[in-house]
Structures are given as structure tokens and as C-alpha cells.
């Protein structure tokens, strides 16, 4: 007897699932691999191959040293591990961490080779033998460019960061790599100082030898500042110094690639220009590699985010101008010493030498004016700051032209140095991009424009269609938009709202962190409804200009929390109204079942590893029901995890325990 499904006019015999569904199409082995990973491999290969044509030491190029060629080939082959793992060609049981470790080990021989040649150069500096005849000696540009290629090759790929444990391990090793590069730069500069001290008596016997001693001492310290301060800033968590380091590292890579032409190297002479600890430029060798390290996908976990976002870019511009001031003024002083030493030694003073000193002083002055004008009035001072930055570029180019005729200067100064390129191009370009490029900065200027002016009609200022950034004041006396000029908030206002304060050194970050995820430019809650007065013992904060609100040299910032005994985290500054340690959070008032949430965030955002750190902080501050998802998100940064652990929520504690397990 046939089944009902087979009766005439009945359902098709296969419609009820008589056959199993066809097998799902097997996904591509490279599904989910972003374009960034392929670009990373291409950059690594390019740097390693370019280094083979550059000078490795005084006598040989990298391609003429067999050991260097073998180490370079091994580093290039290590890039294939990423692709072999996706094709299933590696042993069973290999994980992303296994591939990361194997690729890093394959690049260790190149690093050891660099260390060996650095030691050889130190040995040459403390001998009386002719450089390049007994031992090679010298640190060629190939060392710096090849080391940068190794740093890119050994680094993680985005597709390999699939678990929270992997992210934590990679972050820890990235920080150790930066500390190691910082130590190498400082050690090389220290060796240069020791070498100068051992030859001090011989130098002072020369005509004008005291000038050469002062120039060598000052140049060693300046190189240490250029090479070490940006790296130190990133190690200490400054987001602004990371951008400065990237600008310095990019300029240094360009300088090393064209190191021979910049220093008058003659093709076919059998002698290559190079750095050496016997002078005072050796610390520059770590900069390209340091720039590669801070581009790793885990870079956001190395620095503290800054809120509101435009403040970070203002800090970037300020540090760029400050760096120009230090470098230009420092080298102006060194060239002035050369001019005075030449005059006292009877060599005479040339007009262009004096002109070079004047140009460098004017460059430092223009950068100082740019920083001062913008820091005093970020809204109205941007045009003047940009004009001053263009003046810095023009004067830097003039200085490069004068250095091209520096036949009377010592060879230590009469060449195109990295500092000259930084002053003329690298740092001014970064400052210009920081003021014109980022979307958050353009939005801030679209709202503020220039300096705030009182309307001549006497009518109140109109409300803006999107939140007005409060992290940067437009004027010291600019009034805050009154609550009545804002749309009604989604939640009822407190019975006695906190008084509106002038903009303080500690920005209110909640409304800005929510801006990137808003579906449309909806008006923000009134400023008066913000929990600004969460610190009852702090008292009214004084109104200060923007430069007072900057973080310290490391970018970590300072806060005054009278209710806590431990050092506050960045999230404590961000949230403002969170419970103190040991205090149970007050339960939220029950909401109507049909009421819309008072925030725009979702559980998917709280769990997504690609969500911005500022958005994660805003979720924790404004969406208590989503905090348990933050505890499981592998991208949640340590300060926020520590804060979540202090809440005493059993579900959050369980998620944190599973994360550690």
C-alpha cells in the first residue's frame, strides 16, 4: 500500500525530506582573511628584498654576505606558513599560536645576525685599527631595512587572532619587542658616549676640538631623544606618541633606503656609507622596526584610548610641533657651536653657515607658534597653525638646500640627516593630517567652526543636530549650550540636575563614545542631564585651556578620584558615575516592557571583537545589561576587565573566570 505522499494529487514524495539535503559547499580556505594580511606579507617581502641591495657594513652589501642572504631567504619562506596552515599542509594539531611561534622562530636567525654585527661595530669603535680592514665594522642601512622586514614577517595576522588567549599573548610579546628595541637604541647611544669619553683627550688637542666634542655630545643626546622618546611614549600607553612614532619610522625607512645618495656614496667604489657607534647616529637603526611593531593588529591594546576622539588628534599635532621645536632648536645650537669653533680656530665664518643657524631657529619658532596658537584656541587657531606649519616645511626645505653645500662643516653635520627630513617633511605632514584628515576632527570643526561669537540679534544659539563635543573648549569663556536648547532626553531628568560646569580638564566621554554607532545623527541628551557631578568631593573644576587638559608625556593622563584609594583606570575617567570598589551598584529602575532601551547598543556589539574600544567603554557605562557580553569579548581591554571584576556581578564573574580559563 502506497503512502499518502504518493497518492495522486498528494504532496511530492521528496517534499517531506525523502532525500537528505545536498552537502553544504565547503568554504574557501582563505574565507575571513582580510586584505590587510596579504598587504602585510607583500610589505615584508618588499623590505627584505630591498635590503639585499643596500650596504650591510662599510665593505659589503647585504647581498654579498652569504649568511645575510640565507637568513633573508629563511625569513621570506616563513611567510608561507600562514598559507600552508589554511591549505591543511601542516601537521595535525597545529593551531594559530603554533603557526605564530614557528614563524617567529624562523626570523630569529636574522635578529641574531644583526646583534652579531652590532657587536662587531662596537669592537671596531674601541680599536686603533683602520675601519673596514681587520673586521667589517659599520651598521649599514640594510640592517635597519631588513630588521623592519623581519618585524613585519614575524608579526601576527588578523586572521590568526581568533581567541582571547592568543590576543593576550601576542600583546605581551609586542610590548616586549618594543622594550627590547628601546633598550637597543639607548645602549647604542650609551656606547657612543663611552667612545667619545675614551677619545676626549685626542679631540681636545685639535684646533677647535672643543667644538667637535660639544657637537658629538649634543648630537648623541638628540639622536637618543628622536629614537627613544616616541618608543617610550608607546610603551607607556600614549596613543598620540604612537602616531608620532609611525611618522618618524616612515621617514627613517625612506632615509635608509636612499642612505647612499643622501651621504654622497660613490657607486662602484667598494666602500659603503653606514652608521656606527663611533659617531652618534647608531640609535636610528631601530626606528623602522619599531614602526612595524606598532602597526600590529593588537596595537589598540598597547595604548589607552582618548575621549573624545578629536582630543587624540589634537595631542598628535601638539606633539608633532613640539618635536619639531626640540629637533630644530637642538641642531641650530650644534651648528652655532660649529660656527663659533671655526671662527676661533682661524678658519673664518661663511655667510651661509650663519644663515643655516638662522633658518633652524626660525623653524623652531614657527613650530612653537603653531602649537601655542592651536592649544590656546583649537577652533579659531587652526588656520594660523596650518600657516605656521607650512612655514616650517618651507624653512626645512631651505635648510636642506643649505646643507647640500656644507663643504666646510664637519662630515657629521654636512649631510642630509634623518632629523632634517623630519623637520622638513615627516612631522609637519603628521600635524597637517591630524588637523585635516580624521572624521572626528572634521566633525568637531563643522560644529565649532571658528571662535564662538555672540549673535548680534540677541537670539539664543540654535541647537545642533548632533552632540556638541565637550572635550575641547572653543574659548575660555564660551558658555555651554543651555539645557532648554536641546531636545528632550529619552530618560526622565533627575529632580535636581547637576549644574552645568565649564569645560574641564576631564572630558565627559559618554555621549562621544556613542557617536560612532548611532544609526543617524540624533540629538544628544542635554548637557545638564549628564552625570557630571559624580564626584561629590571633587568640587567645581576650574576652567582650563586645552593644553592643560593634555595627558602627561606618556599620554596616560591624571585624574583626581577622592572616593578610591588605588590609581584610577582609564575607564574610571570615562564612566564618571560608576560605583566605587567594594560598593554594590544600585539596581536600575524596572523599565516598561514595551519601552525602548535608553541606549543604541546591542549584545552583538558588546560581543564583537572588532567593536572600537571607546564603544566598549560606552556600553559598559550606559548598558549594564550588556556588561556580561563585554566580559567575554576578547578585545575588551585590561582596565575595563578590572573594572567589571569590581562590580560583584555573579554572571560577569563567571564570564571572567571562563575567559581566564
Amino acid at each position: 500500500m502506497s503512502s499518502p505522499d504518493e497518492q495522486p494529487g498528494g504532496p511530492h514524495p521528496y517534499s517531506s525530506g525523502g532525500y537528505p539535503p545536498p552537502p553544504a559547499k565547503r568554504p574557501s580556505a582563505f574565507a575571513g582573511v582580510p586584505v590587510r594580511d596579504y598587504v602585510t606579507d607583500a610589505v615584508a617581502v618588499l623590505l627584505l628584498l630591498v635590503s639585499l641591495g643596500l650596504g650591510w657594513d662599510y665593505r659589503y652589501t647585504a647581498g654579498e654576505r652569504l649568511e645575510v642572504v640565507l637568513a633573508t631567504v629563511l625569513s621570506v619562506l616563513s611567510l608561507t606558513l600562514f598559507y600552508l596552515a589554511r591549505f591543511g599542509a601542516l601537521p595535525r594539531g597545529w593551531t594559530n599560536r603554533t603557526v605564530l611561534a614557528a614563524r617567529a622562530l624562523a626570523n630569529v636567525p636574522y635578529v641574531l645576525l644583526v646583534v652579531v654585527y652590532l657587536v662587531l661595530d662596537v669592537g671596531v669603535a674601541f680599536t686603533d685599527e683602520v675601519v673596514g680592514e681587520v673586521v667589517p665594522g659599520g651598521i649599514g642601512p640594510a640592517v635597519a631595512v631588513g630588521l623592519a622586514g623581519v618585524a613585519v614577517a614575524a608579526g601576527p595576522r588578523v586572521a590568526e587572532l581568533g581567541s582571547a588567549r592568543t590576543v593576550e599573548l601576542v600583546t605581551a610579546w609586542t610590548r616586549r619587542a618594543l622594550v627590547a628595541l628601546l633598550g637597543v637604541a639607548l645602549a647604542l647611544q650609551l656606547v657612543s658616549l663611552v667612545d667619545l669619553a675614551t677619545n676626549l683627550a685626542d679631540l681636545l688637542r685639535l684646533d677647535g676640538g672643543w667644538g667637535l666634542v660639544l657637537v658629538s655630545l649634543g648630537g648623541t643626546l638628540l639622536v637618543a631623544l628622536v629614537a627613544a622618546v616616541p618608543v617610550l611614549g608607546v610603551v607607556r600607553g600614549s596613543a598620540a606618541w604612537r602616531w608620532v612614532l609611525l611618522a618618524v619610522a616612515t621617514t627613517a625607512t625612506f632615509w635608509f633606503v636612499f642612505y647612499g645618495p643622501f651621504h654622497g656614496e660613490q657607486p662602484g667604489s667598494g666602500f659603503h656609507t653606514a652608521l656606527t657607534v663611533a659617531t652618534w647616529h647608531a640609535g636610528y637603526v631601530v626606528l623602522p622596526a619599531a614602526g612595524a611593531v606598532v602597526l600590529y593588529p593588537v596595537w589598540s591594546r598597547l595604548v589607552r584610548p582618548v575621549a573624545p576622539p578629536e582630543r587624540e588628534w589634537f595631542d598628535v599635532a601638539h606633539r608633532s610641533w613640539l618635536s619639531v621645536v626640540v629637533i630644530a632648536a637642538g641642531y641650530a645650537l650644534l651648528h652655532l657651536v660649529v660656527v663659533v669653533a671655526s671662527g676661533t680656530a682661524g678658519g673664518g665664518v661663511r655667510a651661509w653657515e650663519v644663515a643655516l643657524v638662522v633658518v633652524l631657529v626660525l623653524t623652531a619658532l614657527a613650530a612653537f607658534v603653531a602649537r601655542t596658537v592651536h592649544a590656546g584656541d583649537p577652533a579659531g587657531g587652526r588656520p594660523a597653525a596650518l600657516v605656521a606649519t607650512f612655514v616650517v616645511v618651507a624653512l626645512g626645505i631651505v635648510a636642506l638646500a643649505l646643507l647640500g653645500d656644507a663643504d666646510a662643516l664637519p662630515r657629521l653635520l654636512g649631510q642630509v640627516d634623518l632629523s632634517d627630513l623630519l623637520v622638513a617633511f615627516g612631522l609637519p605632514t603628521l600635524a597637517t593630517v591630524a588637523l585635516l584628515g580624521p572624521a572626528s576632527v572634521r566633525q568637531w570643526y563643522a560644529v565649532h567652526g571658528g571662535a564662538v561669537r555672540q549673535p548680534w540679534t540677541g537670539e539664543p544659539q540654535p541647537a545642533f543636530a548632533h552632540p556638541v563635543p565637550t572635550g575641547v573648549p572653543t574659548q575660555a569663556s564660551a558658555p555651554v549650550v543651555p539645557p532648554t536648547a536641546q531636545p528632550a532626553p529619552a530618560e526622565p531628568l533627575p529632580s535636581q540636575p547637576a549644574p552645568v560646569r565649564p569645560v574641564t580638564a576631564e572630558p565627559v566621554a559618554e555621549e562621544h563614545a556613542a557617536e560612532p554607532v548611532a544609526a543617524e545623527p540624533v540629538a544628544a541628551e542635554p548637557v545638564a542631564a549628564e552625570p557630571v557631578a559624580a564626584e561629590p568631593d571633587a568640587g567645581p573644576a576650574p576652567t582650563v585651556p586645552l593644553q592643560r587638559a593634555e595627558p602627561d608625556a606618556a599620554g596616560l593622563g591624571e585624574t583626581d578620584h577622592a572616593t578610591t584609594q588605588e590609581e584610577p583606570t582609564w575607564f574610571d575617567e570615562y564612566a564618571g558615575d560608576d560605583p566605587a570598589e567594594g560598593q554594590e551598584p544600585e539596581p536600575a529602575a524596572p523599565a516598561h516592557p514595551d519601552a525602548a532601551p535608553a541606549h543604541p547598543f546591542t549584545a552583538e556589539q558588546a560581543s564583537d571583537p572588532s567593536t572600537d574600544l571607546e564603544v566598549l567603554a560606552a556600553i559598559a557605562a550606559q548598558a549594564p545589561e550588556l556588561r556580561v557580553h563585554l566580559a567575554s569579548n576578547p578585545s575588551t581591554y585590561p582596565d575595563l576587565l578590572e573594572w567589571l571584576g569590581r562590580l560583584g556581578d555573579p554572571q560577569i564573574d563567571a564570564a571572567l573566570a571562563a575567559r581566564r580559563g
Side-chain angles (χ1 to χ4, degrees):
M1 183 175 179
S2 61
S3 63
D5 287 345
E6 298 176 351
Q7 297 298 326
H12 194 276
Y14 300 150
S15 62
S16 60
Y19 281 118
K25 183 179 180 181
R26 182 177 180 180
S28 170
F30 296 95
V33 177
V35 176
R36 168 178 176 159
D37 288 348
Y38 303 118
V39 174
T40 300
D41 292 335
V43 171
V45 173
L46 179 64
L47 291 173
L48 289 169
L49 295 183
V50 167
S51 68
L52 291 177
L54 302 176
W56 181 262
D57 52 33
Y58 283 131
R59 294 175 59 185
Y60 302 102
T61 64
E64 295 171 341
R65 307 292 304 187
L66 178 61
E67 65 275 17
V68 177
V69 174
L70 292 177
T72 303
V73 171
L74 184 59
S75 296
V76 173
L77 291 178
S78 69
L79 299 174
T80 62
L81 292 174
F82 177 79
Y83 302 92
L84 292 176
R86 270 143 187 79
F87 281 123
L90 297 179
R92 299 178 66 85
W94 277 43
T95 63
N96 284 332
R97 287 204 290 270
T98 310
V99 175
L100 280 168
R103 190 167 63 244
L105 289 175
N107 287 276
V108 167
Y110 199 107
V111 177
L112 294 177
L113 200 60
V114 169
V115 173
V116 168
Y117 276 89
L118 291 179
V119 174
L120 288 176
D121 183 67
V122 172
V124 171
F126 290 94
T127 62
D128 295 330
E129 304 292 343
V130 178
V131 174
E133 291 187 0
V134 179
V135 290
I139 307 170
V143 176
V145 177
L147 193 61
V150 166
V152 177
R157 307 298 184 263
V158 176
E160 294 172 331
L161 302 177
S163 67
R165 181 59 178 165
T166 301
V167 172
E168 292 175 0
L169 289 174
V170 170
T171 303
W173 280 103
T174 301
R175 186 174 286 108
R176 293 187 185 111
L178 285 175
V179 172
L181 292 172
L182 175 62
V184 170
L186 293 177
L188 292 175
Q189 295 308 106
L190 180 61
V191 172
S192 296
L193 287 176
V194 174
D195 179 70
L196 175 63
T198 58
N199 296 285
L200 186 61
D202 295 334
L203 292 175
L204 290 176
R205 286 201 262 321
L206 302 174
D207 291 337
W210 63 270
L212 185 59
V213 170
L214 290 180
V215 167
S216 299
L217 178 61
T220 303
L221 296 178
L222 279 175
V223 171
L225 289 176
V226 174
V229 170
V231 181
L232 179 62
V234 178
V235 169
R236 298 187 62 186
S238 171
W241 277 117
R242 173 183 175 267
W243 287 103
V244 175
L245 176 57
L246 286 175
V248 173
T250 302
T251 308
T253 304
F254 175 82
W255 181 64
F256 276 117
V257 170
F258 297 97
Y259 191 85
F262 281 146
H263 292 77
E265 179 180 325
Q266 299 297 325
S269 63
F271 181 84
H272 303 283
T273 56
L275 303 173
T276 175
V277 295
T279 58
W280 32 268
H281 298 84
Y284 287 153
V285 74
V286 305
L287 287 175
V293 170
V294 295
L295 282 175
Y296 286 173
V298 296
W299 70 265
S300 59
R301 299 173 65 89
L302 298 174
V303 298
R304 291 173 178 259
V306 179
E310 68 272 3
R311 176 182 167 184
E312 174 184 341
W313 291 107
F314 291 164
D315 289 344
V316 170
H318 294 168
R319 281 163 173 76
S320 301
W321 290 319
L322 180 62
S323 301
V324 172
V325 171
V326 173
I327 295 174
Y331 276 94
L333 182 60
L334 295 185
H335 285 287
L336 180 61
V337 171
V338 171
V339 170
V340 175
S342 299
T344 57
V349 177
R350 299 186 181 182
W352 68 266
E353 294 175 339
V354 179
L356 181 60
V357 176
V358 173
V359 167
L360 289 175
V361 171
L362 292 177
T363 303
L365 181 61
F368 179 77
V369 169
R371 185 185 187 279
T372 303
V373 169
H374 187 269
D377 184 7
R382 183 173 70 161
L386 290 174
V387 170
T389 304
F390 296 150
V391 172
V392 170
V393 174
L395 292 173
I397 294 175
V398 172
L400 288 174
L402 291 173
L403 283 171
D405 295 328
D407 55 331
L409 289 174
R411 291 302 296 169
L412 293 179
L413 287 174
Q415 302 166 346
V416 178
D417 188 63
L418 173 60
S419 60
D420 303 316
L421 295 180
L422 288 175
V423 169
F425 301 110
L427 294 172
T429 300
L430 177 62
T432 304
V433 170
L435 294 185
L436 298 178
S440 58
V441 174
R442 287 186 278 109
Q443 180 184 5
W444 191 88
Y445 279 108
V447 172
H448 291 74
V452 176
R453 299 178 176 87
Q454 296 295 334
W456 66 272
T457 58
E459 298 176 357
Q461 296 283 354
F464 294 103
H466 49 81
V468 178
T470 59
V472 183
T474 57
Q475 288 183 345
S477 61
V480 181
V481 179
T484 56
Q486 301 282 354
E491 297 180 355
L493 296 176
S495 57
Q496 294 182 350
V500 180
R501 299 185 302 178
V503 179
T504 65
E506 185 171 328
V508 180
E510 289 143 344
E511 63 175 355
H512 306 290
E515 286 183 23
V517 296
E520 55 184 0
V522 186
E525 294 183 9
V527 179
E530 294 283 324
V532 179
E535 301 172 289
D537 298 332
T543 301
V544 294
L546 177 61
Q547 61 267 34
R548 303 293 185 185
E550 292 180 357
D552 54 10
L556 301 181
E558 297 178 357
T559 55
D560 181 15
H561 289 257
T563 58
T564 59
Q565 300 297 326
E566 59 179 331
E567 181 181 358
T569 64
W570 173 83
F571 183 78
D572 293 330
E573 297 181 85
Y574 194 100
D577 61 338
D578 299 315
E581 183 174 3
Q583 177 182 354
E584 292 293 333
E586 297 182 2
H592 191 276
D594 298 331
H599 56 79
F601 307 112
T602 63
E604 290 74 12
Q605 284 179 302
S607 305
D608 188 358
S610 63
T611 303
D612 292 340
L613 299 185
E614 296 175 1
V615 178
L616 295 180
I619 292 175
Q622 303 176 25
E625 73 279 6
L626 301 180
R627 291 171 179 168
V628 65
H629 300 288
L630 297 176
S632 304
N633 191 331
S635 293
T636 303
Y637 49 93
D639 285 348
L640 180 51
L641 292 175
E642 179 183 354
W643 183 86
L644 291 172
R646 299 202 304 262
L647 297 179
D649 189 303
Q651 293 183 346
I652 295 178
D653 293 342
L656 293 175
R659 178 193 187 95
R660 289 189 292 268

